[in-house]
Amino acid sequence: MLDRPESKLERAVRGGVALVGACDGRVAFGFTERTGGVSRAPYASLNLGTHVGDDPDAVTENRRRVLAALGCEDAIGRLIVPNQVHGDTVLTIREGSAVELADISCRAAEGADAIVCRAPGVPVMLCFADCVPVVLTCPGGFAVVHSGWKGTFAGIAGKAARELAAAAGASTAELRAWIGPHIRGDEYQVSEELLGRFCERFPCIEPNPGRLLDLSAAIRFALVEAGVAPDAICDAGLSTIRDNDRFFSYRAEDGTCGRYAAVAVMR
């Protein structure tokens, strides 16, 4: 599955690690499930987040296993995992030199919610437990995006699409977008005030009695607004609530849980 170009997301299991992903040209990527790792409850077993209280050694081993499943275990020393702060900061890796990666790592530690990469052999991983993971691909690179409600409202997916296109020398019309598991629009209840703000910002969001917010609809709107073709956006259709046996969910697990990831690398 991850060794040939695909036009849709498929599930593969390697070394016990399950990835829902694809190989789009030179970019291999996947959304991890919660099994196949070494973490103990309540983070069992493939927790990839370092900030939830898990054993750091277990997280390191889990990340190594994910990269092995993606076919790039030897690149673990170049892995970029930003400190996600629910903002709209996008960092760009251009050539992947040691100097650039050291600088990006420092800036990522200060906070970023999207990484654009056009350097081969540099894996990027962002972590999730209900927020929306988005992977963008094009012939010259990729981006991995963390889009919670704050990032979605700020249009981070569209911003990352523009920055990826600029870095890769492409048009946003050449990009593909892949939306991973998240809390779905029929599960995510928010305040009237927040729903109202989204209704004003996104024509695709409408008031409703249940105060339910469809983040993926707003993300698709932002991507199309940035120039991504509607038929180039693929949604896995997976729910962290309904599929909680496969993916960690902050809401379903009362705030104590591991983190799954969106991970990508260009070969």
Side-chain angles (χ1 to χ4, degrees), residues 1-26:
M1 182 271 293
L2 296 175
D3 292 326
R4 65 186 190 276
E6 297 287 353
S7 59
K8 62 181 180 179
L9 296 169
E10 294 184 358
R11 184 176 187 267
V13 181
R14 290 183 172 175
V17 172
L19 293 169
V20 179
C23 184
D24 187 23
R26 295 171 60 196

Side-chain angles (χ1 to χ4, degrees), residues 42-253:
Y43 314 110
S45 66
L46 193 69
N47 167 49
L48 299 164
T50 57
H51 62 292
V52 298
D54 195 5
D55 177 357
D57 291 338
V59 177
T60 297
E61 172 60 15
N62 291 342
R63 291 179 176 181
R64 184 198 66 77
R65 293 186 179 198
V66 169
L67 294 190
L70 201 62
C72 60
E73 180 181 2
D74 61 343
I76 192 165
R78 298 187 293 278
L79 175 65
I80 301 296
V81 187
N83 176 30
Q84 298 161 210
V85 292
H86 293 272
D88 67 344
T89 296
V90 181
L91 300 179
T92 299
I93 302 166
R94 298 186 183 278
E95 77 271 1
S97 68
V99 171
E100 182 189 41
L101 292 182
D103 176 63
I104 288 290
S105 294
C106 288
R107 293 165 62 196
E110 295 173 357
D113 287 271
I115 303 290
V116 167
C117 182
R118 60 183 305 270
V122 179
V124 173
M125 177 183 291
L126 275 72
C127 299
F128 304 82
D130 280 336
C131 294
V132 189
V134 182
V135 174
L136 304 171
T137 60
C138 73
F142 67 87
V144 184
V145 183
H146 165 254
S147 193
W149 76 257
K150 291 181 180 179
T152 300
F153 189 81
I156 188 171
K159 181 177 180 180
R162 293 183 183 95
E163 296 205 16
L164 171 59
S171 161
T172 52
E174 299 176 66
L175 271 57
R176 286 186 179 182
W178 315 81
I179 298 175
H182 61 279
I183 188 168
R184 310 298 301 192
D186 59 350
E187 302 163 328
Y188 186 34
Q189 188 176 63
V190 299
S191 68
E192 265 187 51
E193 185 270 337
L194 183 59
L195 180 61
R197 288 172 61 192
F198 269 82
C199 290
E200 291 177 5
R201 166 72 175 83
F202 299 95
C204 58
I205 304 297
E206 298 181 352
N208 62 84
R211 306 195 313 278
L212 296 170
L213 176 58
D214 187 346
L215 291 177
S216 59
I219 290 167
R220 289 193 299 272
F221 178 87
L223 289 169
V224 172
E225 190 176 51
V228 179
D231 62 0
I233 302 172
C234 175
D235 190 330
L238 294 168
S239 161
T240 49
I241 301 292
R242 289 190 288 270
D243 301 307
N244 189 220
D245 59 329
R246 294 174 61 188
F247 305 100
F248 296 110
S249 169
Y250 189 88
R251 284 201 174 194
E253 298 173 70

